[in-house]
C-alpha cells in the first residue's frame, strides 16, 4: 500500500507540474519553425555595425511561413569592462529595432548571448559582467510581449563546464526574473549545447523555461 500511495503522489505532482508549465508549452508550440539572423550581430569588434541586416528581412521571413527569428548577439565587446558593465546604449537601441521589426511582422523573436569568449575562458572573473548584462537586457525589454524570448547563452563550453554552467544559468535566470517573472527563457546544455551535455544539466525549478539542444549530425552536411 505504501508503494501505491507513493506512486499516486508522484503522478499527481507530475500532473500539477505539467499544468504549471502550460504557458511554456504554449510558447514552445507557437515558436514553430524558425531561422537565425546568423553572422549579423556577432562581429567581435566593438563597432556598432548592422549593415548585414535589412528591415525587410522579417517581412520576407514571415512570408515564407516561418514563425520565429533567433538573433545571435555578441554583447561582450559592446559592454564596458568595468562595473557597472554598461552595455552600449546605441547597440541596445539597434537590437530593439531588430526585435520590433520581427514583432511587427507577427514573428516571435529570441535574443541570446553569443560568443562571450572571455566568459568561456575565465568564467569566475567575468561572471559579474555576464550577470550585469542580463540584468540590463532584462530591464530594457521588460515591457515587451511574451513573443520575445531570452536565451541565456549559446553553447557554453571550455572552462564554463557543466558544474559552473549549472550555477551561472541559475544566477542569470534570477537576474532575468527580477523584471521578467513570466517571460519564457531558453536554456542550453553544457559542452557546446549538444545532446552529450544533457545528463549534466540541472534546470532550476522554474515554470517558464524551455530546453534548447543543438544537433548537427552529420556535421559535414550541416556545416558545409
Amino acid at each position: 500500500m505504501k508503494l501505491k500511495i507513493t506512486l499516486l503522489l508522484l503522478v499527481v505532482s507530475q500532473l500539477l507540474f505539467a499544468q504549471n508549465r502550460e504557458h511554456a508549452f504554449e510558447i514552445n508550440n507557437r515558436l514553430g519553425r524558425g531561422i537565425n539572423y546568423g553572422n549579423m550581430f556577432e562581429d567581435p569588434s566593438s563597432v556598432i555595425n548592422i549593415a548585414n541586416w535589412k528591415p525587410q528581412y522579417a517581412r520576407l521571413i514571415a512570408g515564407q511561413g516561418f514563425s520565429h527569428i533567433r538573433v545571435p548577439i555578441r554583447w561582450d565587446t559592446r559592454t564596458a569592462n568595468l562595473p557597472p558593465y554598461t552595455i552600449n546604449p546605441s547597440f541596445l537601441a539597434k537590437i530593439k529595432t531588430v526585435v520590433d521589426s520581427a514583432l511587427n511582422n507577427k514573428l516571435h523573436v529570441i535574443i541570446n548571448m553569443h560568443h562571450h569568449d572571455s566568459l568561456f575562458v575565465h568564467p569566475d572573473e567575468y561572471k559579474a559582467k555576464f550577470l550585469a548584462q542580463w540584468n540590463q537586457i532584462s530591464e530594457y525589454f521588460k515591457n515587451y510581449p511574451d513573443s520575445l524570448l531570452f536565451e541565456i547563452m549559446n553553447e557554453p563550453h571550455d572552462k564554463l563546464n557543466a558544474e559552473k554552467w549549472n550555477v551561472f544559468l541559475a544566477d542569470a535566470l534570477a537576474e532575468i526574473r527580477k523584471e521578467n517573472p513570466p517571460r519564457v527563457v531558453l536554456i542550453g546544455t553544457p559542452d557546446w549545447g549538444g545532446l552529450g551535455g544533457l545528463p549534466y544539466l540541472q534546470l532550476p525549478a522554474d515554470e517558464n523555461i524551455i530546453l534548447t539542444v543543438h544537433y548537427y549530425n552529420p556535421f559535414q552536411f550541416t556545416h558545409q
Side-chain angles (χ1 to χ4, degrees):
M1 180 61 69
K2 184 176 181 181
L3 177 59
K4 291 181 179 179
I5 292 174
T6 302
L7 290 175
L8 177 61
L9 290 174
L10 178 60
V11 171
V12 170
S13 66
Q14 287 176 334
L15 288 173
L16 290 173
F17 184 68
Q19 290 171 353
N20 291 338
R21 290 184 53 79
E22 184 176 345
H23 178 60
F25 291 145
E26 176 197 351
I27 297 294
N28 192 43
N29 186 57
R30 279 160 45 185
L31 285 175
R33 293 187 300 165
I35 191 168
N36 270 301
Y37 272 163
N39 299 314
M40 296 184 186
F41 312 100
E42 303 164 48
D43 193 301
S45 74
S46 59
V47 175
I48 302 168
N49 179 14
I50 61 171
N52 291 331
W53 177 81
K54 301 291 187 293
Q56 63 267 31
Y57 284 170
R59 175 178 53 82
L60 295 172
I61 289 169
Q64 292 298 315
F66 290 97
S67 302
H68 79 266
I69 295 170
R70 179 174 179 261
V71 189
I73 306 168
R74 187 189 293 262
W75 300 95
D76 186 20
T77 52
R78 281 86 179 211
T79 303
N81 288 318
L82 297 175
Y85 306 108
T86 302
I87 298 173
N88 187 311
S90 296
F91 186 69
L92 263 173
K94 294 290 187 181
I95 298 302
K96 179 182 185 298
T97 300
V98 175
V99 171
D100 289 345
S101 75
L103 299 182
N104 290 339
N105 284 277
K106 312 301 182 185
L107 291 164
H108 289 64
V109 58
I110 301 166
I111 57 175
N112 80 350
M113 189 168 292
H114 226 81
H115 301 310
H116 205 315
D117 297 338
S118 54
L119 187 73
F120 298 146
V121 179
H122 304 288
D124 294 326
E125 181 179 345
Y126 286 93
K127 182 180 181 181
K129 181 178 181 180
F130 166 64
L131 296 180
Q133 287 169 317
W134 272 118
N135 179 279
Q136 293 170 73
I137 298 166
S138 176
E139 167 69 26
Y140 193 85
F141 290 103
K142 65 182 179 182
N143 294 321
Y144 271 64
D146 64 6
S147 42
L148 171 65
L149 295 81
F150 298 155
E151 181 185 351
I152 293 178
M153 178 64 70
N154 178 72
E155 299 184 351
H157 60 277
D158 204 351
K159 298 296 191 300
L160 187 57
N161 55 30
E163 182 179 2
K164 286 189 180 295
W165 175 231
N166 287 327
V167 176
F168 280 44
L169 72 86
D171 291 344
L173 185 63
E175 291 296 324
I176 292 170
R177 289 292 176 246
K178 291 177 181 178
E179 298 293 348
N180 293 262
R183 189 171 306 284
V184 172
V185 175
L186 278 66
I187 298 176
T189 59
D191 194 21
W192 295 96
L195 285 170
L198 190 56
Y200 309 102
L201 181 67
Q202 297 175 6
L203 292 176
D206 188 291
E207 299 171 3
N208 292 307
I209 57 177
I210 293 175
L211 172 67
T212 176
V213 177
H214 293 182
Y215 187 77
Y216 296 122
N217 292 341
F219 191 87
Q220 289 82 358
F221 175 76
T222 62
H223 281 65
Q224 62 182 286

